[in-house]
Amino acid sequence: MTADLGAQLAAAFDAAVAADERVEPRDWMPEEYRASLVRQMAQHAHSEIIGMQPEANWITRAPSLRRKAILMAKVQDEAGHGLYLYSAAETLGTSRDELLDKLHSGRQKYSSIFNYPTLTWADVGAIGWLVDGAAITNQVPICRCSYGPYARAMVRICKEESFHQRQGFELLMALSQGTEEQHAMAQDAVNRWWWPSLMMFGPPDDESAHSAQSMAWRIKRHSNDELRQRFVDIAVPQAESLGLTLPDPDLKWNEERGHHDFGAIDWAEFWDVLKGNGPCNEQRIGQRRRAHEEGAWVRDAAAAYAQKQAAQQQTAKPAGQNEEARV
Ligand SMILES: [Fe+2]
Ligand SMILES: [Fe+2]
């Protein structure tokens, strides 16, 4: 490619993105844009599948058949989200195998929130309400992301996430209005999940490495701090209707700003968990590697089946479109 042509393509790309046009897999794009998207989509996909673990921990101990069925559906949805996102990343030329390998070897991350343990049944409610709630706040703007396949995957994911958020809220409401012990269990879960949920939006804007470029490329639409504030403003009245409190003495409405003020986040804890020192980091990645190894026979069988089908179609065609020849 000549330098001239390169500059023309780059200018056309910038203009298309600025005009809110969608970038599709076959379109020319800067290598940095491609790499940045792969990094973000991979981290997102990894979070979906690792996120299955803390809640799957409670499937066998759900307090009723109804709760068990809901939780199983939710955990399966998260697997599906992982699949949509790995597929969307494949449209950029990066295979699922390669991304999983990076996850398993620690070269790519998943959301740190999933390195916290689920100690009681109420944690399933707190995760649905707060963690899925924070995920929705983060992800709704990605439905307008400049990269088409990512944006389209996100539309469906957000619909399912909003079901997850509501089931968590409803579960916590039942506990909050239940016995004294149940209410205390719900409150304890909210106390433990509140601050890690605020950390899900990532470091403050002035420390966020990728934010400015992602916003210029319209991969991201709002800054970490903006989204975090939006989440706090949504959560406060919801906590009130649940009859639960949020564990922050500095949380109060600021008339001037038209937003809630909230206390300082413990960023040392965030960086420490990210570095691998959270309560469940080793357990989560160990379980993921084991599941991958134990599932090898399923992948082999599926690949062998696909090969056999392809070979049969090849041999069936010369037989003159005879459907029976394929049987
Ligand atoms: Fe999800
Ligand atoms: Fe979810």
Side-chain angles (χ1 to χ4, degrees):
M1 191 193 301
T2 63
D4 249 16
L5 181 60
Q8 273 174 23
L9 286 168
F13 173 86
D14 289 343
V17 166
D20 265 337
E21 282 171 28
R22 284 272 157 83
V23 180
E24 295 298 339
R26 286 188 178 79
D27 294 344
W28 184 90
M29 61 187 85
E31 275 316 303
E32 301 77 26
Y33 175 84
R34 184 186 299 274
S36 182
L37 270 171
V38 169
R39 181 188 56 76
Q40 183 177 334
M41 286 156 77
Q43 184 174 327
H44 192 162
H46 300 331
S47 304
E48 299 284 358
I49 61 167
I50 295 273
M52 296 167 73
Q53 291 184 37
E55 290 185 284
N57 180 32
W58 282 93
I59 290 176
T60 55
R61 291 172 289 169
S64 68
L65 187 58
R66 173 176 172 263
R67 293 289 179 195
K68 192 193 289 261
I70 294 172
L71 183 55
M72 283 174 68
K74 195 224 176 205
V75 172
Q76 283 184 333
D77 281 354
E78 305 301 5
H81 297 173
L83 287 185
Y84 308 155
L85 291 164
Y86 286 122
S87 301
E90 281 184 330
T91 66
L92 291 165
T94 311
S95 73
R96 198 190 319 177
D97 279 348
E98 191 183 331
L99 295 180
L100 284 174
D101 191 49
K102 285 186 173 157
L103 169 66
H104 298 153
S105 60
R107 281 172 294 155
Q108 277 179 343
K109 303 259 182 243
Y110 54 88
S111 176
S112 269
I113 190 90
F114 301 118
N115 291 315
Y116 290 85
T118 41
L119 303 179
T120 71
W121 169 251
D123 288 29
V124 171
I127 290 181
W129 176 42
L130 295 173
V131 177
D132 289 279
I136 295 169
T137 310
N138 251 329
Q139 290 168 12
V140 163
I142 307 177
C143 297
R144 294 187 296 126
C145 159
S146 58
Y147 188 57
Y150 193 21
R152 289 189 288 273
M154 210 49 59
V155 171
R156 180 156 173 185
I157 289 178
C158 282
K159 284 186 185 153
E160 294 177 351
E161 295 299 0
S162 90
F163 156 72
H164 298 170
Q165 196 267 354
R166 281 175 208 196
Q167 68 84 34
F169 185 85
E170 193 260 350
L171 194 166
L172 280 181
M173 184 67 98
L175 289 177
S176 179
Q177 296 178 345
T179 64
E180 219 170 282
E181 286 86 354
Q182 286 173 325
H183 181 89
M185 192 197 277
Q187 184 61 62
D188 170 64
V190 169
N191 290 349
R192 283 181 290 108
W193 289 95
W194 173 249
W195 290 105
S197 300
L198 294 193
M199 294 175 196
M200 281 176 72
F201 296 91
D205 294 346
D206 46 10
E207 288 169 38
S208 176
H210 305 289
S211 269
Q213 183 60 75
S214 284
M215 301 240 313
W217 278 329
R218 307 218 171 169
I219 295 173
K220 221 175 137 123
R221 297 271 173 174
H222 310 279
S223 76
N224 295 354
D225 287 333
E226 256 173 50
L227 292 168
R228 189 168 10 248
Q229 179 72 65
R230 187 178 293 180
F231 175 69
V232 171
D233 290 339
I234 293 170
V236 170
Q238 291 182 346
E240 269 166 35
S241 43
L242 282 170
L244 298 170
T245 57
L246 296 170
D248 179 358
D250 298 323
L251 189 63
K252 58 173 181 306
W253 177 251
N254 181 325
E255 192 68 56
E256 239 168 79
R257 290 201 311 121
H259 291 291
H260 292 86
D261 290 338
F262 52 96
I265 294 170
D266 182 356
W267 290 111
E269 176 183 320
F270 173 81
W271 293 115
D272 201 40
V273 176
L274 199 69
K275 262 190 255 157
N277 303 323
C280 299
N281 295 56
E282 272 175 43
Q283 183 187 332
R284 299 289 184 242
I285 204 70
Q287 172 62 28
R288 172 91 274 285
R289 285 197 200 113
R290 225 171 11 258
H292 191 71
E293 281 158 22
E294 287 171 5
W297 69 272
V298 179
R299 294 190 297 279
D300 291 346
Y305 180 75
Q307 249 174 18
K308 196 170 143 190
Q309 290 290 101
Q312 278 179 351
Q313 278 186 4
Q314 281 284 319
T315 49
K317 266 179 202 154
Q321 272 75 44
N322 181 356
E323 282 299 311
E324 280 178 9
R326 234 181 285 168
V327 179

